[in-house]
Amino acid sequence: MNILLNNWYPVSIPIAVILWALLIFSIIKLRGNRALAEKLCFYILGFVLIYKTFHYVIYCVLLKHSWNEQIPAEISQLAYFLCPLAFFSRNKWLRDGGAFTGIIAGFAQLASISIAPYRFAEAGICAFSFFESTLMHYCVFWGGMVQICCVERMELKNIWRNYLVFGAVLLWGILASYTWMFGTDAAHPHEPANIGFIIRCDYLPDAILD
């Protein structure tokens, strides 16, 4: 597998094409079938929530990472929890905001593997981390898109609510960088933590693999 991933374009581009095709096919097939769309979102987003909860607990308990470093701070980390929990809340405002956050996080990942897959190779990302990250991001991206297209359509007049939720996510990341995560970057122990593209623009692929 690692040999296969030495050349990222033959691997990442087909994956991106397949994922985009699945998304479009899902939306076409699920439009007009809200019950099925909602049931699929329930299972897929529930899987993300359970998996990532265990993921962070294992990091802290088994790998003995400090708890403060595992508090979700970056947009993708927050989307793993915000998107499912907002969906389960059945609150229209939270659902739209959670879906929007999941879409932004997932789109960043799909765009990165489509446009700049070499950045993964430069960062020395292993095959498992690459595929796990892609799957998790795609799940929240798919869940967000299906929610606003097939479950409960987003009204343009209320889109400001999504920006409000997304702005809160960004502010949370900045707060984390300057408080409980300050100095956690071993390369810069006396500086604010690097919280993905919230802090810097050259985020690929660091931010999306958490």
Side-chain angles (χ1 to χ4, degrees), residues 4 44 54 83 87 107 110 126 130 134 182 189 191 193 202:
L4 178 64
I44 290 174
F54 277 104
C83 191
F87 175 77
F107 180 81
L110 289 179
C126 69
F130 172 76
T134 300
F182 188 95
E191 297 180 12
D202 61 329

Side-chain angles (χ1 to χ4, degrees), residues 161-172:
R161 297 176 178 175
N162 303 333
Y163 294 128
L164 189 63
V165 173
F166 188 68
V169 168
L170 296 181
L171 289 175
W172 177 262

Side-chain angles (χ1 to χ4, degrees), residues 59-150:
Y59 257 69
C60 295
V61 175
L62 298 183
L63 302 181
K64 300 187 184 304
H65 285 219
S66 62
W67 285 97
N68 68 311
E69 293 183 45
Q70 295 306 308
I71 298 175
E74 187 264 327
I75 180 174
S76 294
Q77 298 170 340
L78 291 168
Y80 296 145
F81 297 94
L82 178 59
C83 191
L85 290 174
F87 175 77
F88 297 142
S89 75
R90 298 188 175 277
N91 179 281
K92 174 63 174 171
W93 186 332
L94 289 177
R95 271 193 168 189
D96 283 352
F100 185 73
T101 303
I103 290 169
I104 295 297
F107 180 81
Q109 166 79 345
L110 289 179
S112 69
I113 67 174
S114 303
I115 300 171
Y118 60 87
R119 295 297 298 272
F120 293 92
E122 290 176 355
I125 304 302
C126 69
F128 175 79
S129 294
F130 172 76
F131 288 115
E132 179 201 33
S133 172
T134 300
L135 175 63
M136 290 294 103
H137 280 81
Y138 184 73
C139 283
V140 293
F141 181 63
W142 185 94
M145 289 296 294
V146 170
Q147 279 188 70
I148 66 173
C149 294
C150 308

Side-chain angles (χ1 to χ4, degrees), residues 174-188:
I174 295 173
L175 176 66
S177 177
Y178 283 87
T179 54
W180 70 83
M181 294 193 70
F182 188 95
T184 54
D185 187 348
H188 306 282

